[in-house]
Amino acid sequence: MMMVLAISLFSLSSCDDFLDETPDSRTDIDNETKVIKILVEGYPRTAYIQINELMSDNHDNYREDNPNTSRYYDEVWNWKDVTETNNEAPQNIWSNGYQAIANANIALEAIEQMGEQGLTIKMKECKGEALLCRAYGHFMLANEFCMAYSSKDDKQLGIPYIEHSITELNPHHERGTIGELYAKIDRDIQEALPLIGESHLTVPKYHFNEKAAYAFAARFYNYYEKWDKALHYANLCLGSSPATVLRSYKALAALGQGSSFYDEKTNLYIDAEQNCNLLLATTRSNPGSVLGNTSTAKKYAHIPYIANNEDIAARNIWVDGSQSSVSNYWIDRYGSFSGNSIYVIFYRLPRLFEYTDPVAGNGYNSSVYPIFTTDECLLNRAEAEIMLGQYEQAAADLNIWMHNIVSTKVELDPEVITNFYNKVNYSFIETDDDPDAIGSTIKKHLHPKFDIDEEGSTQECMLQCLLGFRRMECMHMGMRWFDIKRYGIEIPRRVANAQGTPIKIIDWLRVDDPRRAVQIPQKVREGGMQANPRK
């Protein structure tokens, strides 16, 4: 009953059905087994990956007459306030995120009620996990529904930080500021980390195990502009030999090349036995179709123009002239598709189906995706090192990542990186027959709220390298959208022709565009929650 109640409260739907029910069932969670069980529900089941990918610069409009879309996908790609329903619509991201937070709070209050005598080693670990679930839930909701955190502008709107299970129907919560929100996330992380352990876990990779906890801290403190802390926790996560715990692209390549190996490759990509996968999550939706090798929603796609000029298939810093094609540098090659739909992808998101009634064949689409990996943590460490001016160390980490994913003789150091990126034009290139600056390269102007050195400096060039690498590392995982927000990257909405070449720009997302914060869901606004501003 408690979990259903949490959804209803945070979606601010009608509460009439609950008026005759007790809204507080914490007394039912009164032993270790029950606490451990409820923490299974402390992780969101609705993923941000699909909506974030569509909003980012990873997707252009492939033909205005393309039928492979819906009003929901149209709204998301055009940065409109979403009114249509979908499993991964903002309404479900919001309600499911707060449901997970509610379950974390139930666990925390149950542990507190057990008293000191009940605080066994397992319960201490559960307390640490619950605190991290609460922190992570708010962190991801903030990055979706708020503007990017900035220490110079931390009075921007936050979201409610819920620290207790709900004991009243339809409560009103103030949004507070993004600065207040991040301070509470910081507090919960610091309280949680000394408690984290794995003796209470039967499937560690689906919970905040020790390595995943450090990876979360590394990502959070980069976002919080506390680079020294980000570096500290990334070091704890990666250990002394990070190259040995990264994803094995040789193992992926050994499965075979081409779309016929999609299932095998995606299943290995999300395999819990892989050292690189630190925390996995399930999502009840179809990102494996939308972001995989089907025509679903491919009116908005990672078209060849983007791949050839901005990321996967572009001439990048690792091209040493030893291969006849850029694609040949990749240890495990990407997939390229044409015909009804035209797009370029990595094989990363499996298409799964969970049966609710196997006899009748009823159920729902689902997928599994990595929330934290060692590969991303390595790049997060490089970011912290760049911001701390530790360029040699950052270049070494970028070099480790690069040599793990492509075959090249290039060795990265600050000078090599600076020289290479200073020879690359910024997107978007203006030409005589292209007055709207529609063309793009692997480099875009950066406008973060935090201070970085001028364009062309070693620091700026190394950030260009880092952001390009992380864009490819997190392709189809939704993380590029957060870099767009944090680094103030301006992106257009482009329409491409049948050949997959952009022919016009119909909109721009500028540095301070309020659409960078997804609008608070309509039902929540109708219940009294302050809306995000819009022009």
Side-chain angles (χ1 to χ4, degrees):
M1 187 272 289
M2 193 59 166
M3 288 180 286
V4 175
L5 177 61
I7 296 175
S8 299
L9 288 171
F10 284 103
S11 64
L12 295 179
S13 59
S14 171
C15 58
D16 292 345
D17 294 342
F18 300 98
L19 293 179
D20 296 324
E21 299 184 36
T22 303
D24 187 357
S25 61
R26 286 170 294 169
T27 53
D28 295 334
I29 312 298
D30 55 7
N31 60 47
E32 282 187 358
T33 301
K34 292 179 180 179
V35 170
I36 292 170
K37 185 176 180 180
I38 199 165
L39 279 175
V40 173
E41 302 299 330
Y43 300 84
R45 297 291 184 228
T46 300
Y48 53 85
I49 52 180
Q50 182 175 287
I51 186 173
N52 285 8
E53 283 296 304
L54 288 168
M55 289 190 297
S56 77
D57 53 358
N58 287 341
H59 286 243
D60 274 343
N61 181 327
Y62 170 55
R63 296 191 357 247
E64 287 184 301
D65 63 344
N66 192 323
N68 296 312
T69 186
S70 69
R71 288 182 62 183
Y72 165 75
Y73 297 119
D74 294 341
E75 288 178 339
V76 171
W77 185 81
N78 284 288
W79 305 311
K80 291 185 177 181
D81 294 350
V82 177
T83 60
E84 297 297 308
T85 59
N86 184 279
N87 281 354
E88 292 190 3
Q91 173 67 42
N92 290 332
I93 294 175
W94 178 276
S95 62
N96 196 260
Y98 273 115
Q99 176 191 4
I101 290 166
N103 290 326
N105 282 328
I106 292 169
L108 287 168
E109 292 178 5
I111 293 168
E112 184 178 355
Q113 287 178 3
M114 291 178 189
E116 285 296 323
Q117 68 277 10
L119 203 59
T120 63
I121 291 176
K122 285 188 176 181
M123 285 300 92
K124 287 181 180 179
E125 293 176 358
C126 284
K127 182 177 181 180
E129 182 184 358
L131 286 166
L132 286 178
C133 285
R134 184 168 75 183
Y136 175 76
H138 287 101
F139 175 64
M140 296 311 294
L141 287 171
N143 280 283
E144 208 67 47
F145 294 101
C146 305
M147 299 295 277
Y149 171 84
S150 167
S151 59
K152 295 182 178 180
D153 190 15
D154 65 356
K155 303 302 182 187
Q156 298 242 30
L157 283 171
I159 55 167
Y161 201 92
I162 307 302
E163 301 176 68
H164 304 284
S165 59
I166 301 303
T167 57
E168 58 177 310
L169 295 175
N170 204 16
H172 178 69
H173 296 283
E174 297 294 334
R175 291 187 61 174
T177 68
I178 191 71
E180 293 167 341
L181 180 71
Y182 266 55
K184 291 178 179 178
I185 296 171
D186 181 17
R187 177 206 64 198
D188 277 355
I189 290 175
Q190 289 303 310
E191 184 179 353
L193 289 178
L195 303 174
I196 286 296
E198 300 180 17
S199 69
H200 72 293
L201 300 177
T202 54
V203 219
K205 291 295 183 73
Y206 283 83
H207 295 264
F208 269 113
N209 54 76
E210 187 175 7
K211 296 292 187 182
Y214 292 143
F216 172 33
R219 185 194 294 176
F220 170 73
Y221 286 112
N222 269 343
Y223 285 37
Y224 202 19
E225 301 174 14
K226 298 185 183 297
W227 322 111
D228 53 342
K229 283 190 173 183
L231 177 58
H232 171 70
Y233 291 115
N235 285 337
L236 290 176
C237 175
L238 295 168
S240 58
S241 302
T244 64
V245 294
L246 299 183
R247 187 174 302 282
S248 175
Y249 286 97
K250 290 181 180 178
L252 284 165
L255 293 175
Q257 299 296 324
S259 184
S260 59
F261 298 97
Y262 187 89
D263 290 342
E264 292 90 338
K265 284 179 175 290
T266 55
N267 286 331
L268 181 59
Y269 190 85
I270 54 90
D271 184 5
E273 297 300 316
Q274 300 297 309
N275 289 331
C276 59
N277 290 327
L278 302 177
L279 179 59
L280 298 165
T282 59
T283 175
R284 292 168 182 168
S285 58
N286 63 341
S289 295
V290 174
L291 304 172
N293 63 335
T294 76
S295 61
T296 304
K298 289 300 191 300
K299 178 175 181 177
Y300 307 110
H302 185 251
I303 62 174
Y305 183 87
I306 300 176
N308 293 335
N309 291 277
E310 297 188 28
D311 48 61
I312 298 176
R315 289 187 64 82
N316 215 305
I317 194 168
W318 55 69
V319 174
D320 58 13
S322 63
Q323 302 293 331
S324 58
S325 169
V326 173
S327 65
N328 292 334
Y329 285 90
W330 289 91
I331 294 172
D332 184 47
R333 290 171 134 193
Y334 49 83
S336 184
F337 301 85
S338 59
N340 244 357
S341 299
I342 182 167
Y343 54 94
V344 181
I345 61 166
F346 288 124
Y347 301 144
R348 290 181 171 174
L349 291 163
R351 288 188 292 274
L352 307 174
F353 190 83
E354 296 188 35
Y355 287 97
T356 55
D357 185 345
V359 176
N362 296 330
Y364 49 84
N365 294 318
S366 68
S367 190
V368 175
Y369 65 101
I371 294 178
F372 296 106
T373 67
T374 53
D375 302 70
E376 186 227 354
C377 189
L378 180 66
L379 294 179
N380 287 341
R381 184 168 78 174
E383 179 180 2
E385 290 163 339
I386 293 169
M387 294 306 301
L388 291 168
Q390 299 177 13
Y391 301 137
E392 293 289 343
Q393 295 93 318
D397 281 344
L398 293 170
N399 200 55
I400 291 171
W401 181 88
M402 182 181 75
H403 282 276
N404 185 61
I405 202 166
V406 295
S407 296
T408 178
K409 296 177 182 178
V410 173
E411 297 292 335
L412 300 182
D413 62 32
E415 183 178 4
V416 168
I417 294 171
T418 303
N419 289 340
F420 175 81
Y421 281 92
N422 272 329
K423 295 176 182 177
V424 178
N425 291 325
Y426 287 94
S427 302
F428 294 87
I429 307 164
E430 295 188 31
T431 63
D432 292 339
D433 58 352
D434 188 11
D436 292 324
I438 203 168
S440 52
T441 70
I442 62 172
K443 189 168 78 169
K444 296 182 178 179
H445 295 287
L446 308 179
H447 310 94
K449 293 291 180 67
F450 50 86
D451 295 329
I452 62 173
D453 293 345
E454 68 277 2
E455 290 186 346
S457 65
T458 296
Q459 185 182 59
E460 192 262 355
C461 289
M462 294 194 70
L463 285 173
Q464 292 287 351
C465 183
L466 164 79
L467 292 169
F469 284 8
R470 190 155 61 202
R471 182 179 185 179
M472 290 177 279
E473 170 59 36
C474 299
M475 182 72 68
H476 314 315
M477 298 296 152
M479 299 300 294
R480 173 64 176 177
W481 176 245
F482 298 144
D483 275 346
I484 288 169
K485 293 176 69 168
R486 294 177 59 227
Y487 280 88
I489 298 172
E490 296 187 331
I491 59 174
R493 293 287 73 162
R494 298 183 297 201
V495 178
N497 58 21
Q499 289 72 47
T501 302
I503 55 175
K504 65 179 178 179
I505 289 175
I506 59 175
D507 198 2
W508 277 93
L509 190 74
R510 298 299 185 185
V511 174
D512 293 315
D513 195 313
R515 293 175 297 177
R516 289 173 179 265
V518 173
Q519 186 58 275
I520 302 296
Q522 184 176 350
K523 286 183 180 180
V524 183
R525 301 197 312 270
E526 290 172 354
M529 185 72 68
Q530 183 178 356
N532 284 327
R534 290 291 185 261
K535 290 183 180 179

